[in-house]
PDB file of all heavy atoms in Angstrom:
ATOM      1  N   ILE A 410    -104.928  -6.500 -52.416  1.00  0.00           N
ATOM      2  CA  ILE A 410    -105.194  -7.545 -51.428  1.00  0.00           C
ATOM      3  C   ILE A 410    -105.943  -8.709 -52.070  1.00  0.00           C
ATOM      4  O   ILE A 410    -105.620  -9.879 -51.838  1.00  0.00           O
ATOM      5  CB  ILE A 410    -105.987  -6.974 -50.236  1.00  0.00           C
ATOM      6  CG1 ILE A 410    -105.092  -6.011 -49.440  1.00  0.00           C
ATOM      7  CG2 ILE A 410    -106.490  -8.084 -49.333  1.00  0.00           C
ATOM      8  CD1 ILE A 410    -105.781  -5.387 -48.242  1.00  0.00           C
ATOM      9  N   GLU A 411    -106.941  -8.403 -52.905  1.00  0.00           N
ATOM     10  CA  GLU A 411    -107.697  -9.456 -53.567  1.00  0.00           C
ATOM     11  C   GLU A 411    -106.808 -10.246 -54.516  1.00  0.00           C
ATOM     12  O   GLU A 411    -106.910 -11.483 -54.602  1.00  0.00           O
ATOM     13  CB  GLU A 411    -108.878  -8.856 -54.337  1.00  0.00           C
ATOM     14  CG  GLU A 411    -109.774  -9.889 -55.002  1.00  0.00           C
ATOM     15  CD  GLU A 411    -110.441 -10.839 -54.014  1.00  0.00           C
ATOM     16  OE1 GLU A 411    -110.645 -10.441 -52.839  1.00  0.00           O
ATOM     17  OE2 GLU A 411    -110.753 -11.982 -54.412  1.00  0.00           O
ATOM     18  N   GLU A 412    -105.916  -9.555 -55.246  1.00  0.00           N
ATOM     19  CA  GLU A 412    -105.009 -10.243 -56.161  1.00  0.00           C
ATOM     20  C   GLU A 412    -104.057 -11.153 -55.396  1.00  0.00           C
ATOM     21  O   GLU A 412    -103.780 -12.276 -55.814  1.00  0.00           O
ATOM     22  CB  GLU A 412    -104.224  -9.228 -56.995  1.00  0.00           C
ATOM     23  CG  GLU A 412    -105.058  -8.518 -58.041  1.00  0.00           C
ATOM     24  CD  GLU A 412    -105.710  -9.481 -59.013  1.00  0.00           C
ATOM     25  OE1 GLU A 412    -105.002 -10.378 -59.523  1.00  0.00           O
ATOM     26  OE2 GLU A 412    -106.921  -9.358 -59.242  1.00  0.00           O
ATOM     27  N   GLU A 413    -103.527 -10.673 -54.271  1.00  0.00           N
ATOM     28  CA  GLU A 413    -102.637 -11.501 -53.461  1.00  0.00           C
ATOM     29  C   GLU A 413    -103.373 -12.705 -52.899  1.00  0.00           C
ATOM     30  O   GLU A 413    -102.813 -13.805 -52.816  1.00  0.00           O
ATOM     31  CB  GLU A 413    -102.036 -10.664 -52.322  1.00  0.00           C
ATOM     32  CG  GLU A 413    -101.010  -9.654 -52.795  1.00  0.00           C
ATOM     33  CD  GLU A 413    -100.449  -8.827 -51.652  1.00  0.00           C
ATOM     34  OE1 GLU A 413    -100.858  -9.065 -50.488  1.00  0.00           O
ATOM     35  OE2 GLU A 413     -99.614  -7.964 -51.921  1.00  0.00           O
ATOM     36  N   LEU A 414    -104.638 -12.498 -52.507  1.00  0.00           N
ATOM     37  CA  LEU A 414    -105.431 -13.596 -51.968  1.00  0.00           C
ATOM     38  C   LEU A 414    -105.672 -14.659 -53.040  1.00  0.00           C
ATOM     39  O   LEU A 414    -105.561 -15.865 -52.763  1.00  0.00           O
ATOM     40  CB  LEU A 414    -106.765 -13.068 -51.438  1.00  0.00           C
ATOM     41  CG  LEU A 414    -107.718 -14.101 -50.833  1.00  0.00           C
ATOM     42  CD1 LEU A 414    -107.050 -14.843 -49.680  1.00  0.00           C
ATOM     43  CD2 LEU A 414    -109.012 -13.435 -50.361  1.00  0.00           C
ATOM     44  N   LYS A 415    -105.981 -14.233 -54.257  1.00  0.00           N
ATOM     45  CA  LYS A 415    -106.184 -15.185 -55.344  1.00  0.00           C
ATOM     46  C   LYS A 415    -104.909 -15.971 -55.629  1.00  0.00           C
ATOM     47  O   LYS A 415    -104.953 -17.196 -55.818  1.00  0.00           O
ATOM     48  CB  LYS A 415    -106.641 -14.451 -56.613  1.00  0.00           C
ATOM     49  CG  LYS A 415    -108.061 -13.908 -56.543  1.00  0.00           C
ATOM     50  CD  LYS A 415    -108.412 -13.193 -57.837  1.00  0.00           C
ATOM     51  CE  LYS A 415    -109.833 -12.632 -57.776  1.00  0.00           C
ATOM     52  NZ  LYS A 415    -110.160 -11.894 -59.032  1.00  0.00           N
ATOM     53  N   GLU A 416    -103.777 -15.287 -55.666  1.00  0.00           N
ATOM     54  CA  GLU A 416    -102.509 -15.967 -55.928  1.00  0.00           C
ATOM     55  C   GLU A 416    -102.175 -16.919 -54.793  1.00  0.00           C
ATOM     56  O   GLU A 416    -101.662 -18.029 -55.016  1.00  0.00           O
ATOM     57  CB  GLU A 416    -101.388 -14.946 -56.119  1.00  0.00           C
ATOM     58  CG  GLU A 416    -100.015 -15.568 -56.373  1.00  0.00           C
ATOM     59  CD  GLU A 416    -100.003 -16.530 -57.546  1.00  0.00           C
ATOM     60  OE1 GLU A 416    -100.745 -16.311 -58.524  1.00  0.00           O
ATOM     61  OE2 GLU A 416     -99.235 -17.519 -57.471  1.00  0.00           O
ATOM     62  N   PHE A 417    -102.456 -16.504 -53.553  1.00  0.00           N
ATOM     63  CA  PHE A 417    -102.213 -17.379 -52.401  1.00  0.00           C
ATOM     64  C   PHE A 417    -103.048 -18.656 -52.525  1.00  0.00           C
ATOM     65  O   PHE A 417    -102.535 -19.768 -52.324  1.00  0.00           O
ATOM     66  CB  PHE A 417    -102.567 -16.635 -51.114  1.00  0.00           C
ATOM     67  CG  PHE A 417    -102.596 -17.498 -49.885  1.00  0.00           C
ATOM     68  CD1 PHE A 417    -101.409 -17.925 -49.293  1.00  0.00           C
ATOM     69  CD2 PHE A 417    -103.804 -17.896 -49.319  1.00  0.00           C
ATOM     70  CE1 PHE A 417    -101.433 -18.719 -48.159  1.00  0.00           C
ATOM     71  CE2 PHE A 417    -103.835 -18.679 -48.187  1.00  0.00           C
ATOM     72  CZ  PHE A 417    -102.648 -19.105 -47.609  1.00  0.00           C
ATOM     73  N   ARG A 418    -104.322 -18.522 -52.875  1.00  0.00           N
ATOM     74  CA  ARG A 418    -105.193 -19.691 -53.013  1.00  0.00           C
ATOM     75  C   ARG A 418    -104.707 -20.611 -54.118  1.00  0.00           C
ATOM     76  O   ARG A 418    -104.733 -21.842 -53.981  1.00  0.00           O
ATOM     77  CB  ARG A 418    -106.629 -19.239 -53.280  1.00  0.00           C
ATOM     78  CG  ARG A 418    -107.319 -18.611 -52.070  1.00  0.00           C
ATOM     79  CD  ARG A 418    -108.650 -18.007 -52.454  1.00  0.00           C
ATOM     80  NE  ARG A 418    -109.387 -17.530 -51.285  1.00  0.00           N
ATOM     81  CZ  ARG A 418    -110.442 -16.737 -51.361  1.00  0.00           C
ATOM     82  NH1 ARG A 418    -110.893 -16.324 -52.542  1.00  0.00           N
ATOM     83  NH2 ARG A 418    -111.058 -16.348 -50.252  1.00  0.00           N
ATOM     84  N   ARG A 419    -104.263 -20.024 -55.232  1.00  0.00           N
ATOM     85  CA  ARG A 419    -103.738 -20.850 -56.327  1.00  0.00           C
ATOM     86  C   ARG A 419    -102.494 -21.593 -55.879  1.00  0.00           C
ATOM     87  O   ARG A 419    -102.300 -22.771 -56.207  1.00  0.00           O
ATOM     88  CB  ARG A 419    -103.443 -19.978 -57.555  1.00  0.00           C
ATOM     89  CG  ARG A 419    -104.691 -19.471 -58.277  1.00  0.00           C
ATOM     90  CD  ARG A 419    -104.325 -18.863 -59.617  1.00  0.00           C
ATOM     91  NE  ARG A 419    -103.648 -17.594 -59.458  1.00  0.00           N
ATOM     92  CZ  ARG A 419    -104.235 -16.399 -59.510  1.00  0.00           C
ATOM     93  NH1 ARG A 419    -105.537 -16.320 -59.699  1.00  0.00           N
ATOM     94  NH2 ARG A 419    -103.542 -15.289 -59.378  1.00  0.00           N
ATOM     95  N   GLY A 420    -101.617 -20.897 -55.140  1.00  0.00           N
ATOM     96  CA  GLY A 420    -100.393 -21.535 -54.661  1.00  0.00           C
ATOM     97  C   GLY A 420    -100.661 -22.677 -53.708  1.00  0.00           C
ATOM     98  O   GLY A 420    -100.002 -23.718 -53.749  1.00  0.00           O
ATOM     99  N   VAL A 421    -101.657 -22.507 -52.813  1.00  0.00           N
ATOM    100  CA  VAL A 421    -102.018 -23.573 -51.870  1.00  0.00           C
ATOM    101  C   VAL A 421    -102.619 -24.755 -52.621  1.00  0.00           C
ATOM    102  O   VAL A 421    -102.307 -25.918 -52.324  1.00  0.00           O
ATOM    103  CB  VAL A 421    -103.004 -23.045 -50.805  1.00  0.00           C
ATOM    104  CG1 VAL A 421    -103.548 -24.194 -49.961  1.00  0.00           C
ATOM    105  CG2 VAL A 421    -102.316 -22.021 -49.911  1.00  0.00           C
ATOM    106  N   ALA A 422    -103.469 -24.477 -53.611  1.00  0.00           N
ATOM    107  CA  ALA A 422    -104.084 -25.554 -54.390  1.00  0.00           C
ATOM    108  C   ALA A 422    -103.020 -26.364 -55.129  1.00  0.00           C
ATOM    109  O   ALA A 422    -103.074 -27.604 -55.156  1.00  0.00           O
ATOM    110  CB  ALA A 422    -105.097 -24.978 -55.382  1.00  0.00           C
ATOM    111  N   ARG A 423    -102.036 -25.675 -55.714  1.00  0.00           N
ATOM    112  CA  ARG A 423    -100.962 -26.395 -56.402  1.00  0.00           C
ATOM    113  C   ARG A 423    -100.150 -27.222 -55.410  1.00  0.00           C
ATOM    114  O   ARG A 423     -99.749 -28.352 -55.706  1.00  0.00           O
ATOM    115  CB  ARG A 423    -100.061 -25.401 -57.143  1.00  0.00           C
ATOM    116  CG  ARG A 423    -100.699 -24.762 -58.373  1.00  0.00           C
ATOM    117  CD  ARG A 423     -99.684 -23.988 -59.184  1.00  0.00           C
ATOM    118  NE  ARG A 423     -99.182 -22.835 -58.478  1.00  0.00           N
ATOM    119  CZ  ARG A 423     -99.615 -21.581 -58.667  1.00  0.00           C
ATOM    120  NH1 ARG A 423    -100.589 -21.351 -59.549  1.00  0.00           N
ATOM    121  NH2 ARG A 423     -99.094 -20.572 -57.997  1.00  0.00           N
ATOM    122  N   PHE A 424     -99.898 -26.654 -54.226  1.00  0.00           N
ATOM    123  CA  PHE A 424     -99.131 -27.355 -53.198  1.00  0.00           C
ATOM    124  C   PHE A 424     -99.831 -28.654 -52.795  1.00  0.00           C
ATOM    125  O   PHE A 424     -99.190 -29.693 -52.639  1.00  0.00           O
ATOM    126  CB  PHE A 424     -98.947 -26.458 -51.976  1.00  0.00           C
ATOM    127  CG  PHE A 424     -98.263 -27.136 -50.823  1.00  0.00           C
ATOM    128  CD1 PHE A 424     -96.877 -27.149 -50.735  1.00  0.00           C
ATOM    129  CD2 PHE A 424     -99.002 -27.757 -49.819  1.00  0.00           C
ATOM    130  CE1 PHE A 424     -96.241 -27.779 -49.673  1.00  0.00           C
ATOM    131  CE2 PHE A 424     -98.380 -28.390 -48.761  1.00  0.00           C
ATOM    132  CZ  PHE A 424     -96.990 -28.401 -48.685  1.00  0.00           C
ATOM    133  N   ARG A 425    -101.146 -28.609 -52.633  1.00  0.00           N
ATOM    134  CA  ARG A 425    -101.883 -29.800 -52.187  1.00  0.00           C
ATOM    135  C   ARG A 425    -101.889 -30.886 -53.248  1.00  0.00           C
ATOM    136  O   ARG A 425    -102.011 -32.066 -52.929  1.00  0.00           O
ATOM    137  CB  ARG A 425    -103.308 -29.403 -51.796  1.00  0.00           C
ATOM    138  CG  ARG A 425    -103.343 -28.554 -50.529  1.00  0.00           C
ATOM    139  CD  ARG A 425    -104.729 -28.088 -50.152  1.00  0.00           C
ATOM    140  NE  ARG A 425    -104.682 -27.322 -48.903  1.00  0.00           N
ATOM    141  CZ  ARG A 425    -105.727 -26.709 -48.366  1.00  0.00           C
ATOM    142  NH1 ARG A 425    -106.904 -26.761 -48.963  1.00  0.00           N
ATOM    143  NH2 ARG A 425    -105.596 -26.038 -47.224  1.00  0.00           N
ATOM    144  N   LYS A 426    -101.767 -30.502 -54.516  1.00  0.00           N
ATOM    145  CA  LYS A 426    -101.674 -31.504 -55.582  1.00  0.00           C
ATOM    146  C   LYS A 426    -100.289 -32.151 -55.601  1.00  0.00           C
ATOM    147  O   LYS A 426    -100.146 -33.343 -55.859  1.00  0.00           O
ATOM    148  CB  LYS A 426    -101.957 -30.861 -56.937  1.00  0.00           C
ATOM    149  CG  LYS A 426    -103.412 -30.457 -57.143  1.00  0.00           C
ATOM    150  CD  LYS A 426    -103.605 -29.840 -58.522  1.00  0.00           C
ATOM    151  CE  LYS A 426    -105.059 -29.438 -58.729  1.00  0.00           C
ATOM    152  NZ  LYS A 426    -105.267 -28.816 -60.068  1.00  0.00           N
ATOM    153  N   ILE A 427     -99.273 -31.341 -55.332  1.00  0.00           N
ATOM    154  CA  ILE A 427     -97.899 -31.831 -55.396  1.00  0.00           C
ATOM    155  C   ILE A 427     -97.521 -32.549 -54.112  1.00  0.00           C
ATOM    156  O   ILE A 427     -97.003 -33.663 -54.128  1.00  0.00           O
ATOM    157  CB  ILE A 427     -96.921 -30.661 -55.642  1.00  0.00           C
ATOM    158  CG1 ILE A 427     -97.235 -29.990 -56.972  1.00  0.00           C
ATOM    159  CG2 ILE A 427     -95.472 -31.136 -55.618  1.00  0.00           C
ATOM    160  CD1 ILE A 427     -96.537 -28.661 -57.146  1.00  0.00           C
ATOM    161  N   GLY A 428     -97.762 -31.896 -52.975  1.00  0.00           N
ATOM    162  CA  GLY A 428     -97.438 -32.465 -51.676  1.00  0.00           C
ATOM    163  C   GLY A 428     -96.012 -32.171 -51.268  1.00  0.00           C
ATOM    164  O   GLY A 428     -95.069 -32.319 -52.049  1.00  0.00           O
ATOM    165  N   PHE A 429     -95.839 -31.720 -50.032  1.00  0.00           N
ATOM    166  CA  PHE A 429     -94.510 -31.412 -49.511  1.00  0.00           C
ATOM    167  C   PHE A 429     -93.623 -32.644 -49.529  1.00  0.00           C
ATOM    168  O   PHE A 429     -92.434 -32.582 -49.814  1.00  0.00           O
ATOM    169  CB  PHE A 429     -94.621 -30.891 -48.076  1.00  0.00           C
ATOM    170  CG  PHE A 429     -93.301 -30.503 -47.464  1.00  0.00           C
ATOM    171  CD1 PHE A 429     -92.796 -29.229 -47.643  1.00  0.00           C
ATOM    172  CD2 PHE A 429     -92.560 -31.402 -46.716  1.00  0.00           C
ATOM    173  CE1 PHE A 429     -91.583 -28.858 -47.083  1.00  0.00           C
ATOM    174  CE2 PHE A 429     -91.350 -31.047 -46.153  1.00  0.00           C
ATOM    175  CZ  PHE A 429     -90.866 -29.768 -46.337  1.00  0.00           C
TER     176      PHE A 429
END
Side-chain angles (χ1 to χ4, degrees):
I410 291 180
E411 183 62 27
E412 288 302 312
E413 289 179 1
L414 180 58
K415 289 180 180 178
E416 179 55 33
F417 170 75
R418 288 172 174 166
R419 288 191 288 264
V421 171
R423 289 190 294 261
F424 175 87
R425 291 177 178 175
K426 289 181 180 179
I427 299 167
F429 182 87

